[in-house]
Amino acid sequence: MSQQFLRDSEVIDTEDRFPVLPLRDVVLFPHVAMPLLVGRSGSLAALEAADAGDKFVLLLTQKDSAVQEPAASDLYRVGTLGRVLQFTKLPNGAARVLVEGLARARVDKFVRTSTYLRAVARPHPFVMAPGDGVDAEARRAMALFEEYVTHHRRLPPEITGLVQAASSLERQGCGIAAHLAVRHETRQTLLEAPQLVDLFRALSELTAGETELLRLERKIEDDVRGSLFQNQREFYLQEQLRAIHRELGDEETDDLADLEAQLGARQLPEQARGRAERELRRLRRMSPMSPEASVARNYVEWIAALPWNERTDDMLDVTRARAILDEDHYGLDEVKERIVDYIAVLSLVGKLEGPILCLVGPPGVGKTSLGRSVARALGRKFVRMSLGGVRDEAEIRGHRRTYIGALPGRILQAMRRAESINPVILLDEVDKLGSDWRGDPSAALLEVLDPEQNRAFNDHFLEVDYDLSQVLFLTTANSLGGIPDPLRDRMEIIRLPGYLDQEKYAIAQRHLIPRQLTQHGIAPSSVTWAADTLPAVLRAYTREAGVRELERRIARLARKLARHRAERPTEQDPRDTIAAADLRSMLGVAAYDPDDVSLEDRVGVARGLAYTQVGGELLEVEVSVVPGRGRVMLTGTLGDVLKESASAALSYIRARAEVLGVPADFARTRDVHVHLPAGATPKDGPSAGIALATAIVSALTGTPVRGDVAMTGEITLRGRVLPIGGLKEKAVAAHRHHVSHVVVPAANVRDLEELPKEVHDAVQFHAVKTMDEVLALALRTLPVPAPRKRRAAPMTSSHGDVGAATDVTH
């Protein structure tokens, strides 16, 4: 069936079925020619059919541009009948086509062919009614379009003349609509306008809105450009003013002269002075707006701010220093002796390289606060630097100046804060250093903490040698395991064991109670503590090597007292007494049971001693033997070393079964279950070996283990007892749990001299070399050896002679 489309006065005779060319994000208006790049197979087939026929094609816009193969429901019903003017295939398989829009068309139905989509369409011209005011609306839309073109940067002014010269109002409207920079949905709304006057009204509204947006964008751009011009103008005037001052011989108006004066007033080394003056000369030649200017200025300011020869006078009175250390901290005699020795030597020689001391101990024993006391005793500045979680090597050595925002490392920042070359610098938590792809900060500390190298410490930012040899470095750690061996070798290790109960009482009375009561607005003299109060707090509410939790409990008691006094404000001179019976109401339910560690004799239960990051602990080893097939179960979150110790203990018992009175067939007829409470706490290490062996022998023979005996030592397959570490902390833990006998390896006897006197007086230590000596001390009665079978020839025991345990008395 043929159709007639009107184009102005031209009549176009066509068929009523047209190949459909779907458009994405594009709307073609009548009387407008548009080049298109076509690559989809269905679109190429439709164009080839149109080019082979009468050149007519129906152009419809997709509703969703993301659809790759659109169906009939994906296309708008109103489109434009177009004529293919040029059709060129490209080497990549796509095609370039030039299409001219002829007239509006409405689709009645779609017909799918094998390769492309065809549509039955009819003419859909714009309606013009007499007296509808289309001429006035057209003039208004044209005037707004002229203003729109003047503000649009991408549209040439000639567009206005071309649209005005159109031969009909429909051509003018389509020309305006084709050049508006709006979304394709809005263009489709314009194309579907029922009457020509509606099209011009819509164009007027859109053009006015878009013009206002363009005007606002132009204003913003002009403001930004004006601001940049103002900055350039000020820079030009400043340069002119600087040139005028140079011609007049006046001093420069900037503050570079102040920097030069600061450098002149400092006693800088020749290398540092030369670098600073060279950077200052570069800075004078630079533009202040240059990025290099801020880098150079920052460098010169750091050179001028660092202490190079400024020092504080050391207070070399040994008696005064010891008094200050005793005033701030109770106990810690080894550290105090080392500091007093340093002051004594310094008073004799006048100048001494600062030692590097590493204080190792559990949390809360006063390692960090001790550094401040040392600085006060010496009369030096104190700077604390936390290393916990530091992973970047540049944190120690600084960043190179090629990076934006580069700064010196923490060491030089600490020296700047100290304002002297001989401060006390505390490197806190040195065992918590990390490492990743940015470097290893512990390796950077090797130069800082080496007395032979730190006199010429080189920071990446400063790039000149800096003398750190007069700095007294103190480092703290909870465990030596996290410190690399090269770094540990450069430090003098001083171990701080946990406090004894008597020491905690003294610390609480001298320091904690007065400080917390004062902080809570209570006079310490107005509070009376019953004799049993502090011991009850220690036993029932704290279990730690330090005093941090104890101070928190005292602070809670102070808060309760403050609240009690606030509730009775009329009392003139309030006084309170805290007794042990009041602790339940003030501190709540006790956190620990003082009797949770029993010292009774029990079968299959031995008491070992463990060293943890929070100090020494008493560890119970439980063994249960039941009928079975010789299985061994190890529970309690045990590490590999501890499991190997249990295996070594079992092998020793099997080899000595006759002598120990253990059934020879227990490895086939009994299951052995070894458990170390608490189950959720990880445990590892070889020092529980003799405790494991003792508990297993007790369970197999039914002989009770003495409840007042604790032990520590590594066991071998031949029954020898090897030395262990952390004996001081373990001995303190045994004393804390009221254990009266401790079995230790004979090789650790030399470590007993370092124990506090209170521990020596309350605990008896037994040095052993073999497992037979351990069993003789730990078991309530020695097991009866099993009767020997007659053998053809005597054999020599491979376990060596059984010696007698040695009581170490002090």
Side-chain angles (χ1 to χ4, degrees):
M1 183 182 296
S2 62
Q3 295 276 1
Q4 288 186 344
F5 286 81
L6 295 178
R7 188 188 183 197
D8 295 336
S9 59
E10 179 185 1
V11 178
I12 302 174
D13 293 322
T14 67
E15 295 292 331
D16 61 344
R17 295 175 181 266
F18 304 97
V20 175
L21 178 61
L23 302 178
R24 290 193 287 192
D25 296 332
V26 175
V27 176
L28 180 65
F29 286 89
H31 315 292
V32 176
M34 179 182 294
L36 298 172
L37 185 64
V38 181
R40 293 185 287 187
S41 58
S43 300
L44 289 173
L47 286 174
E48 289 173 355
D51 186 62
D54 54 5
K55 307 290 185 180
F56 293 111
V57 64
L58 184 61
L59 297 102
L60 300 175
T61 303
Q62 292 183 204
K63 298 177 181 178
D64 185 3
S65 60
V67 178
Q68 186 64 26
E69 297 294 336
S73 60
D74 298 321
L75 302 174
Y76 290 103
R77 289 281 178 164
V78 176
T80 301
L81 178 66
R83 178 189 291 126
V84 178
L85 301 181
Q86 293 181 2
F87 181 72
T88 306
K89 290 188 175 181
L90 302 178
N92 59 359
R96 184 181 291 110
V97 61
L98 179 62
V99 182
E100 179 188 16
L102 300 177
R104 282 204 312 176
R106 175 178 288 276
V107 176
D108 290 330
K109 68 177 181 177
F110 290 91
V111 179
R112 169 66 70 178
T113 66
S114 60
T115 55
Y116 63 94
L117 194 65
R118 296 180 67 89
V120 177
R122 53 185 170 83
H124 187 57
F126 288 101
V127 178
M128 294 180 60
D132 57 1
V134 65
D135 293 329
E137 290 293 342
R139 283 195 297 270
R140 179 169 177 265
M142 193 67 215
L144 291 171
F145 181 69
E146 290 180 8
E147 187 178 3
Y148 174 82
V149 172
T150 58
H151 287 87
H152 204 292
R153 298 182 183 275
R154 297 183 181 179
L155 293 180
E158 295 81 8
I159 293 294
T160 305
L162 293 176
V163 174
Q164 285 179 339
S167 59
S168 65
L169 293 179
E170 182 178 338
R171 283 178 176 270
Q172 283 188 359
C174 292
I176 294 173
H179 290 93
L180 289 180
V182 293
R183 294 179 58 84
H184 73 277
E185 293 90 350
T186 306
R187 290 172 175 265
Q188 182 66 30
T189 304
L190 295 174
L191 182 64
E192 293 178 1
Q195 297 184 7
L196 193 58
V197 65
D198 298 328
L199 173 63
F200 280 112
R201 286 172 183 162
L203 287 174
S204 298
E205 294 176 2
L206 280 174
T207 308
E210 292 296 320
T211 303
E212 188 63 29
L213 288 177
L214 291 175
R215 188 183 295 111
L216 183 59
E217 291 177 358
R218 178 68 63 87
K219 180 178 181 302
I220 294 174
E221 291 178 0
D222 292 340
D223 292 343
V224 173
R225 189 180 297 109
S227 176
L228 294 176
F229 174 78
Q230 180 66 19
N231 292 337
Q232 294 173 352
R233 178 175 175 273
E234 290 176 359
F235 170 71
Y236 178 74
L237 292 177
Q238 288 175 358
E239 290 295 324
Q240 283 188 328
L241 188 61
R242 187 175 290 109
I244 292 172
H245 278 285
R246 281 198 298 266
E247 292 295 329
L248 295 176
D250 296 339
E251 295 183 356
E252 295 183 354
T253 57
D254 57 9
D255 57 352
L256 294 183
D258 296 337
L259 271 179
E260 186 175 10
Q262 292 179 23
L263 291 176
R266 307 299 296 273
Q267 298 179 1
L268 303 178
E270 290 300 324
Q271 183 185 13
R273 183 174 294 279
R275 289 295 301 270
E277 291 177 349
R278 184 162 65 249
E279 290 294 327
L280 194 59
R281 287 194 296 270
R282 288 183 61 239
L283 186 58
R284 292 185 187 279
R285 294 192 299 267
M286 288 181 190
S287 164
M289 306 296 294
S290 171
E292 284 291 326
S294 62
V295 177
R297 181 184 182 85
N298 192 26
Y299 179 82
V300 176
E301 287 178 348
W302 268 98
I303 291 284
L306 282 173
W308 296 91
N309 290 291
E310 295 79 9
R311 57 179 296 122
T312 55
D313 295 331
D314 291 327
M315 297 181 181
L316 304 179
D317 188 347
V318 175
T319 305
R320 173 186 174 276
R322 182 63 193 228
I324 290 177
L325 294 174
D326 289 339
E327 177 186 348
D328 291 345
H329 291 82
Y330 184 86
L332 307 180
D333 292 331
E334 186 177 354
V335 187
K336 295 177 182 178
E337 290 292 333
R338 183 63 181 86
I339 298 301
V340 172
D341 292 345
Y342 171 75
I343 296 174
V345 176
L346 189 62
S347 64
L348 296 178
V349 300
K351 182 179 180 181
L352 184 65
E353 292 181 353
I356 291 91
L357 306 180
C358 180
L359 310 180
V360 181
V365 297
K367 301 184 299 297
T368 304
S369 59
L370 187 63
R372 186 172 283 103
S373 298
V374 170
R376 192 161 75 94
L378 286 169
R380 295 186 178 186
K381 300 289 186 65
F382 174 75
V383 181
R384 175 184 171 271
M385 189 170 71
S386 178
L387 298 179
V390 174
R391 295 179 174 272
D392 192 355
E393 178 254 355
E395 292 279 350
I396 306 299
R397 287 188 174 274
H399 295 82
R400 300 193 182 275
R401 284 183 290 155
T402 53
Y403 297 100
I404 296 176
L407 285 174
R410 293 194 179 191
I411 299 297
L412 288 190
Q413 292 180 26
M415 296 301 296
R416 180 175 181 175
R417 294 198 304 270
E419 300 178 347
S420 69
I421 62 172
N422 62 336
V424 175
I425 295 182
L426 179 71
L427 304 179
D428 211 5
E429 307 293 352
V430 72
D431 59 330
K432 307 300 190 302
L433 285 170
S435 61
D436 56 14
W437 57 270
R438 290 169 291 187
D440 186 0
S442 63
L445 280 177
L446 295 178
E447 181 183 3
V448 176
L449 300 181
D450 191 340
E452 299 298 327
Q453 302 180 35
N454 62 11
R455 64 179 66 252
F457 174 69
N458 197 287
D459 188 272
H460 289 162
F461 179 85
L462 214 61
E463 293 182 336
V464 295
D465 292 340
Y466 191 84
D467 187 6
L468 296 174
S469 61
Q470 300 183 53
V471 179
L472 174 57
F473 285 103
L474 297 177
T475 65
T476 69
N478 295 128
S479 172
L480 289 177
I483 305 177
D485 291 338
L487 185 60
R488 189 189 312 177
D489 182 64
R490 285 162 167 79
M491 299 184 295
E492 181 178 345
I493 307 299
I494 299 179
R495 291 185 174 274
L496 305 182
Y499 289 120
L500 304 177
D501 287 348
Q502 294 85 347
E503 294 175 325
K504 292 182 181 180
Y505 298 154
I507 293 172
Q509 292 170 353
R510 294 185 184 183
H511 302 284
L512 305 183
I513 291 176
R515 180 168 62 212
Q516 289 299 327
L517 291 178
T518 303
Q519 289 180 359
H520 290 80
I522 301 173
S525 59
S526 65
V527 180
T528 302
W529 296 75
D532 58 345
T533 303
L534 280 179
V537 173
L538 284 173
R539 290 195 305 268
Y541 292 92
T542 66
R543 183 163 293 178
E544 57 178 345
V547 293
R548 195 166 289 161
E549 181 64 23
L550 176 60
E551 184 171 11
R552 282 194 285 264
R553 296 294 181 175
I554 294 174
R556 184 171 181 179
L557 291 173
R559 290 194 298 271
K560 296 296 183 181
L561 288 178
R563 176 183 173 183
H564 181 60
R565 294 189 178 186
E567 292 174 349
R568 45 189 177 97
T570 57
E571 192 171 345
Q572 297 297 326
D573 186 16
R575 292 189 173 275
D576 295 284
T577 300
I578 301 179
D582 302 327
L583 295 180
R584 176 64 181 270
S585 61
M586 302 180 76
L587 297 180
V589 179
Y592 303 99
D593 183 5
D595 300 325
D596 60 349
V597 179
S598 174
L599 300 182
E600 298 177 356
D601 298 353
R602 286 187 287 177
V603 175
V605 178
R607 289 151 193 85
L609 294 171
Y611 174 70
T612 68
Q613 289 191 359
V614 295
E617 287 292 338
L618 187 66
L619 189 68
E620 286 193 345
V621 179
E622 300 178 349
V623 176
S624 176
V625 178
V626 295
R629 292 178 295 177
R631 291 188 307 164
V632 178
M633 293 174 286
L634 304 174
T635 58
T637 319
L638 310 183
D640 292 337
V641 177
L642 191 53
K643 291 178 180 179
E644 292 172 358
S645 297
S647 300
L650 280 169
S651 298
Y652 161 76
I653 294 171
R654 292 178 62 182
R656 301 274 292 172
E658 289 186 6
V659 176
L660 298 177
V662 175
D665 60 346
F666 83 92
R668 297 187 304 272
T669 61
R670 297 287 189 274
D671 288 346
V672 179
H673 186 175
V674 180
H675 180 69
L676 276 71
T681 304
K683 310 167 192 69
D684 204 1
S687 62
I690 63 175
L692 288 167
T694 302
I696 295 174
V697 171
S698 171
L700 290 171
T701 61
T703 305
V705 180
R706 291 175 56 183
D708 59 346
V709 175
M711 61 198 73
T712 178
E714 180 179 355
I715 187 175
T716 68
L717 292 176
R718 296 181 177 272
R720 292 188 298 122
V721 179
L722 301 184
I724 44 81
L727 182 59
K728 182 186 294 187
E729 290 79 4
K730 295 176 181 179
V732 171
H735 177 267
R736 187 166 62 243
H737 289 86
H738 308 290
V739 174
S740 56
H741 297 273
V742 174
V743 179
V744 298
N748 286 108
V749 171
R750 58 183 179 271
D751 299 329
L752 298 177
E753 299 178 359
E754 302 178 0
L755 297 181
K757 183 177 182 302
E758 294 84 351
V759 178
H760 279 302
D761 295 341
V763 180
Q764 185 176 2
F765 294 90
H766 305 272
V768 297
K769 294 182 179 179
T770 65
M771 192 62 210
D772 290 344
E773 301 174 40
V774 176
L775 295 176
L777 291 167
L779 297 180
R780 181 57 66 183
T781 59
L782 287 175
V784 179
R788 293 173 177 262
K789 296 181 180 180
R790 185 178 299 275
R791 298 177 181 174
M795 297 182 64
T796 303
S797 172
S798 63
H799 296 279
D801 296 336
V802 178
T806 303
D807 286 348
V808 182
T809 58
H810 303 275

